[in-house]
Amino acid sequence: MRRRTFLASSSAALLGARHLSSQGRARPRPTPAQLTWQRDELALFAHFGVNTFTDREWGDGTESPAIFDPSAFDARQWTRAAKVAGFRALVLTAKHHDGFCLWPTATTQHSVAASPVRGDVVQAVADACRADGLRLGLYLSPWDRNAAVYGSDRYSDFYCDQLTELLTRYGPVHEVWFDGANGEGPSGKRQVYDWPRFWGLVKRLQPDAVIFSDAGPDVRWIGNERGVAGETNWSTVDPDVVPVPGMSGDAVMRMLQEGDPDGSVWRPGETDTSIRPGWFYHAAEDDRVRSVDDLVRLYDTSVGRNSKLLLNVPPTRAGRLHETDVARLAGMRAALDARDADPLVAGTVRADGDGTQVTLRPGSRVGRVVLREPIEQGQHVAGWRLLGRTNGAWQPLARGTTIGYQRAIAIDPCTVDALRLDIVERFGGHAAVSIAAFAS
């Protein structure tokens, strides 16, 4: 676990802040499940299926189940690697667009039951998560290129039957992951997805799960797969702008990336990206795994921008995470722990009309500052300014808009004896902000 020192400010620090209107409404707040989801910070995404064996990213549904034959499948190897790296959840692709199911399902023959494995990959992953204390997430693609009923009125029943199996057989499911993928099926037709029915089924069968999709309803996509949340990132959104997954347009992308300070619902953003160029394992990419430095940057552009990082680490054809990927995950954890091990903050917080002042050890050279709001009370800060004191004079170091769960600020390294945080814009409430300073 990383050791951090966060010092809470007094609401008196907000005397000079500009109060913004929210039409008299109470600010939205996260549910306990959403709060747990965000505090986990890191989740591992595991894309695994027939594409692993065909060397493709998207299968077409005609693959023979016989090709799914991992030689040394070990879900505990996945979860141990994730745990060592500080990940607290794992999301498995129980079914991708090709329609191949990683559990023995009554809905189709296109599953592990017809493969050499003849086991239940979902069960093995669920058991491994429990053994290593990770929360389980499941992804069930709505697009199914194998199902004959795709594109007909019968597909909603088919899909709900699959959801029901997944949500009733494997114990608690923390996150149910949907995307808006939609294309032609074997019938040559596209499907109209019954999202209210799908989401309602999840809420009935796994009431403590959070639902991810472009549109939520609990967690939204951040709008790209580069691993970068918005510099401005509100956890509140206007649900009318993105009512269902798969929508596009400038307003939609802006809402996904930035949220809406006047949004009526709490729907934080999830930043998903892959440790490799592709989502499924390809041996040709073994020398293109993200570096440790790049993974640390990903943490700062996701978790450090009021988001959560869902990092894809695809299992190999053996059914294990590649040794390079495992080493990079461990390196990421070691680098994060090392840089956060010795905060420079060494004083008490006092507040006055000019802002929250934090005294540092004499001669402290600051290169990074981390801010936090108590998001269990909602998100309020819309503008902040960070200053450093040198030789009795205050100099501007950085400024920004939102804070939320966490805001990581990289600054040009400078020697200061104090920092001051001014909250210049906020939406009601008492925006008590924590501040911690680090050398880099």
Side-chain angles (χ1 to χ4, degrees), residues 191-335:
Q191 182 70 38
V192 176
Y193 299 138
D194 191 347
W195 291 114
R197 181 180 175 188
F198 302 161
W199 294 339
L201 183 62
V202 176
K203 291 299 183 184
R204 180 168 63 83
L205 297 178
Q206 291 280 348
D208 295 327
V210 295
I211 299 174
F212 166 94
S213 78
D214 297 6
D218 301 311
V219 176
R220 76 180 194 270
W221 183 43
I222 207 62
N224 65 71
E225 295 179 344
R226 302 190 311 275
V228 180
E231 289 272 1
T232 295
N233 183 14
W234 292 96
S235 292
T236 48
V237 302
D238 178 352
D240 292 335
V241 175
V242 194
V244 295
M247 299 183 66
S248 60
D250 291 345
V252 169
M253 297 310 296
R254 189 163 50 249
M255 186 64 63
L256 294 174
Q257 180 81 164
E258 300 181 2
D260 184 345
D262 280 319
S264 60
V265 297
W266 187 272
R267 193 169 292 169
E270 183 174 79
T271 302
D272 63 321
T273 192
S274 186
I275 199 169
R276 291 163 171 259
W279 290 91
F280 285 88
Y281 174 79
H282 308 288
E285 295 177 354
D286 284 351
D287 61 352
R288 300 179 67 190
V289 181
R290 289 181 185 267
S291 68
V292 168
D293 286 346
D294 193 30
L295 291 174
V296 170
R297 283 192 293 271
L298 276 181
Y299 179 91
D300 287 340
T301 58
S302 56
V303 179
R305 292 186 182 176
N306 189 38
S307 184
K308 178 178 178 176
L309 177 60
L310 178 63
L311 180 65
N312 182 65
V313 186
T316 67
R317 293 183 181 182
R320 298 171 59 87
L321 303 186
H322 192 278
E323 59 184 11
T324 300
D325 303 48
V326 172
R328 298 289 163 80
L329 291 177
M332 173 191 182
R333 170 52 47 207

Side-chain angles (χ1 to χ4, degrees), residues 385-400:
R385 178 173 57 233
L386 181 70
L387 302 97
R389 189 178 66 193
T390 304
N391 298 325
W394 291 102
Q395 301 294 331
L397 300 179
R399 64 187 305 135

